[in-house]
Every structure is written in C-alpha cells, then in structure tokens.
C-alpha cells in the first residue's frame, strides 16, 4: 500500500507540473476550467483505486 501512495503522489505531481505552465502561459479561462475538471476526475479515480483492495 505505501508504494501505491508514493506512486499516486508522483503521478499527481507530474500531471500538475505538466499542465500548470500551459494554463499559466495561455491564460485562457476555458482552458483552466477544463484542466480543473480533468484534475478533479483524476483525483476521484485515484481515490477510488487507493481504496480498492488488491
């Protein structure tokens, strides 16, 4: 389980590091909304996968 949590933290960090410069540079509200929705969906999926027993 600790390995799954570390992998989840790395995955979230990499996704934020990839998308944040794009959102900040383009400064489009609609792009920010899409990225926020995508991050929310990713976090919900991640939470569900961490709760599931292997």
């Amino acid at each position: 389980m600790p390995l799954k949590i570390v992998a989840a933290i790395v995955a979230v960090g990499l996704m934020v590091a990839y998308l944040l410069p794009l959102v900040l540079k383009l400064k489009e509200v609609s792009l920010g909304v899409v990225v926020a929705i995508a991050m929310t969906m990713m976090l919900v999926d991640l939470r569900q996968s961490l709760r599931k027993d292997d």
Side-chain angles (χ1 to χ4, degrees):
M1 185 65 158
L3 182 62
K4 286 174 76 174
I5 293 172
V6 171
I9 292 169
V10 170
V12 170
L14 287 173
M15 187 169 178
V16 168
Y18 179 74
L19 292 175
L20 192 62
L22 178 69
V23 172
L24 292 177
K25 185 171 181 166
L26 293 179
K27 296 181 182 173
E28 291 286 330
V29 175
S30 59
L31 179 63
V33 171
V34 169
V35 168
I37 291 170
M39 290 295 295
T40 303
M41 290 171 54
M42 189 261 310
L43 291 172
V44 168
D45 184 53
L46 183 64
R47 182 172 160 239
Q48 289 175 350
S49 69
L50 288 176
R51 293 176 117 199
K52 182 174 62 169
D53 293 333
D54 285 335

